[in-house]
Amino acid sequence: MATQARHERTEALIGTTGLEKLQASRVLVAGLGGVGGACAVSLARGGIGTLVLIDCDEVEISNLNRQAIAFMDTVGLRKTDAAQKLVKRIDPDIDVILIDERINPDTIEAIFERAGEVDFIVDAIDDASAKIALALWAQEHGIPLVSCMGTARKLHPELLGFADLFETHDCPLCRSMRSRCRKAGIERLTVLFSPETPFGPDGPVLGTTSFTPPIAGEMLAGYVIRALLGIDGS
């Protein structure tokens, strides 16, 4: 009864068959910061049955301004543990696979052996080389993937949108990723990006808002759920 009530509003929107599809799905979220943490929470609320959560850092006090998993009582926890704690508070029945590992070409095969067969990948990593490794793996294994570009120094989340990486514009990270993807042989990559001119100084610590990263995470979750359900051609 509790499980049925928890997803009552979702089922009213997408039907029993749609809900069953989501509950049978396994989604991998790589990176549990401001974007990825919010995405994982939204996927859990949305009825995804299994989440594979990957991160290699711990929650820091500076994360409190934007990260869904960051609270005073989670500072110092591994981000994977903090994320599991939060999604289990939402849905105790959700299956969670935690991988506390840095993604790179040397680790990615072992990571996916632990992850098992996934239906969708969300890339919310900051490191460009890790993003390339993940995109290459997804392309080679035919796994749908959506990748988030930068949300730091952005004040207008309403400008965020989905596009193929090779059709993006006015985004420094997209420009760098296009070059890297061409060299790596990546033919297509769906990304969430913003053409907004970065605000504030460009330094070793990039400023972030409380709202742009989590809104990006929610948009990624929406993209994945629509794609799994075959809605909007995602």
Side-chain angles (χ1 to χ4, degrees), residues 56-70:
C56 61
D57 292 323
E58 65 179 33
V59 180
E60 299 178 355
I61 198 162
S62 62
N63 301 152
L64 287 165
N65 81 315
R66 68 197 182 282
Q67 297 192 10
I69 63 173

Side-chain angles (χ1 to χ4, degrees), residues 192-204:
L192 177 64
F193 86 106
S194 171
E196 178 185 354
T197 300
F199 181 86
D202 181 8

Side-chain angles (χ1 to χ4, degrees), residues 151 154-162 192-196 209 211-216 219:
T151 59
K154 302 295 176 75
L155 297 175
H156 291 278
E158 69 273 16
L159 297 179
L160 287 162
F162 293 98
L192 177 64
F193 86 106
S194 171
E196 178 185 354
T209 65
F211 47 87
T212 303
I215 289 173
M219 291 178 69

Side-chain angles (χ1 to χ4, degrees), residues 80-184:
T80 48
D81 292 332
Q84 177 176 238
K85 180 179 178 180
L86 185 53
V87 300
K88 285 287 190 178
R89 289 176 65 193
I90 296 165
D91 185 352
D93 297 324
I94 193 170
D95 291 326
V96 183
I97 298 168
L98 302 182
I99 302 178
D100 194 327
E101 185 72 73
R102 185 177 300 279
I103 293 176
N104 60 48
D106 296 326
T107 62
I108 195 161
E109 184 173 357
I111 285 171
F112 274 90
E113 285 179 359
R114 292 168 62 186
E117 187 173 340
V118 299
D119 299 294
F120 219 102
I121 299 170
V122 177
D123 163 26
I125 311 169
D126 292 333
D127 179 70
S129 62
K131 297 176 92 66
I132 294 296
L134 201 56
L136 266 176
W137 182 273
Q139 178 174 283
E140 291 170 359
H141 293 82
I143 306 170
L145 177 146
V146 62
S147 178
C148 188
M149 299 292 104
T151 59
R153 303 174 64 205
K154 302 295 176 75
L155 297 175
H156 291 278
E158 69 273 16
L159 297 179
L160 287 162
F162 293 98
D164 184 82
L165 175 67
F166 297 102
E167 297 175 358
T168 58
H169 55 89
D170 299 316
C171 172
L173 180 55
C174 287
R175 186 182 308 115
S176 173
M177 285 289 293
R178 286 196 297 271
S179 175
R180 287 170 174 263
C181 282
R182 288 190 185 100
K183 291 178 182 178

